[in-house]
Amino acid sequence: MVDEKGMDFPVSWDELHRTARALAYRLDSLGPFKGIVAITRGGLVPAAIVARELELRLVDTVCISTYDHKDMGEANILKGIDGDGEGWLIIDDLVDTGKTAKIVREMLPKAHFATVFAKPAGRPLVDTFVTEVSQDTWILFPWDVELAYAQPIRARKGK
């Protein structure tokens, strides 16, 4: 489906789980890490999967709000974290424009930053990612969608 923001890219729970495990696999040789800092809310699910796969039990959060559905807003830091990030792994679902990533990088400059998905504008800000998508792609994460009936393609065209 294409909307005013470009192509929608739906991601299932299974696909997210597989891709987050692939991220953990890439990160395994880069540790050991003290723990994970999940960027809320999107980074919570991938962080839980990575924490399980890397057998990390120490998980903290950085809470930043920049989106209102598909519209970028002002960054609102709801909860930061102490230290410079040395030995820590930052996990997020996606780096998009890099707005949130820049804030977290300033907070924790020595942490290793990893995301499941990366768009070109934000990609230089992360150390590790699994899947790159175009800048105009809108990823529909499984926690943001619900199952509903889809009309056949011919019916949508009015034939």
Side-chain angles (χ1 to χ4, degrees):
M1 174 194 302
V2 177
D3 68 5
E4 70 281 355
K5 294 277 188 178
M7 180 66 74
D8 282 349
F9 181 75
V11 176
S12 71
W13 284 108
D14 287 342
E15 183 178 2
L16 180 73
H17 189 245
R18 272 191 310 275
T19 311
R21 289 186 76 216
L23 180 62
Y25 185 81
R26 290 183 184 185
L27 295 167
D28 186 40
S29 64
L30 302 175
F33 297 103
K34 293 178 186 176
I36 290 177
V37 176
I39 299 176
T40 68
R41 291 178 312 221
L44 289 170
V45 172
I49 295 165
V50 170
R52 189 247 181 217
E53 296 301 329
L54 299 184
E55 295 185 331
L56 295 169
R57 302 230 179 239
L58 187 55
V59 180
D60 203 343
T61 59
V62 168
C63 306
I64 300 173
S65 173
T66 54
Y67 280 102
D68 180 18
H69 184 52
K70 291 187 179 183
D71 299 318
M72 286 291 285
E74 288 296 315
N76 185 14
I77 301 169
L78 306 169
K79 178 189 172 288
I81 190 169
D82 292 332
D84 61 8
E86 187 167 2
W88 285 84
L89 176 59
I90 301 166
I91 299 287
D92 205 354
D93 56 351
L94 163 74
V95 60
D96 190 332
T97 64
K99 186 175 186 177
T100 300
K102 285 177 190 170
I103 293 167
V104 177
R105 276 277 189 213
E106 289 173 8
M107 278 184 204
L108 304 167
K110 293 185 178 180
H112 187 92
F113 201 136
T115 61
V116 179
F117 297 96
K119 292 186 180 181
R123 197 178 118 212
L125 294 164
V126 298
D127 301 305
T128 304
F129 68 94
V130 177
T131 304
E132 185 171 0
V133 296
S134 66
Q135 197 66 44
D136 66 346
T137 297
W138 185 260
I139 299 174
L140 298 172
F141 287 100
W143 51 83
D144 288 329
V145 296
E146 56 186 22
L147 295 176
Y149 173 77
Q151 282 190 321
I153 293 170
R154 283 189 91 75
R156 285 185 245 163
K157 291 182 178 180
K159 292 184 179 182

